Amino acid sequence: MSDKTAIPPSPSEDEYVRQVSAAEPPPLLSAQDPFELFAEWMKEAVAKEPNDANGMALSTVDETGMPDSRMVLLKDAGPDGFVFYSNLGSAKGRQLAANPKAALLFHWKSLRRQVRVRGTVVPVTPEEADAYFATRARPAQIGAWASEQSRPLPDRLALEKRIAEMGLKFGIGKVSRPPHWSGFRVVPDTIEFWRDRPFRLHERLVFVKVGEGWTTQRLYP
């Protein structure tokens, strides 16, 4: 028997009424460019979220079609798509190489908002990857060389030994980007903006890519 006492109950009608009376309803979402709206929401999230406002759930599928999800950090966003970086030999790297499609989910709890993205995945250029890698802290650069991401780890000592070996290899010199480490860009076909409203009557606005532009549609909650 699971312990359901740890799961919060659904809000009561009185609690919903208090939410409604506490603030005026915001105007309906309206935008022509989803990336402008995303940038606005990200800016608010950076100011409000206590940790990792750029955190996003990345979903891929493996060779059997089984879905796989994990949290990664957004490193760039614009009309070309949403960018993150990874070890190419990791589970997500191998899955994206075999099936270059993905879904992203941003959830900003403090703002009661989320953004869903679905699209195809393309690699960033080597120049982009080099430029971003150069901004990482040196220990993180060393870690990218040392970690065989998603592979079995005998024990923690094995990782610490690899880190020490890589540290000695580079000494005080520049740490170059590993050939097995680069970035992916999710080029969206759809972007959905979701905003919490009382009584589960949430607001949903979806952008669908059509040619060089976007169409919008509201969805039932």
Side-chain angles (χ1 to χ4, degrees), residues 86-94 148-151 180-181 184:
S86 175
N87 185 312
L88 302 180
S90 66
K92 58 184 172 295
R94 299 194 304 271
E148 298 180 14
Q149 195 174 95
S150 300
R151 307 294 183 179
H180 57 263
W181 190 97
F184 296 96

Side-chain angles (χ1 to χ4, degrees), residues 6-23:
I7 301 174
S10 297
S12 67
E13 185 171 348
D14 287 343
E15 288 172 318
Y16 277 132
V17 170
R18 285 196 294 273
Q19 289 180 25
V20 173
S21 61

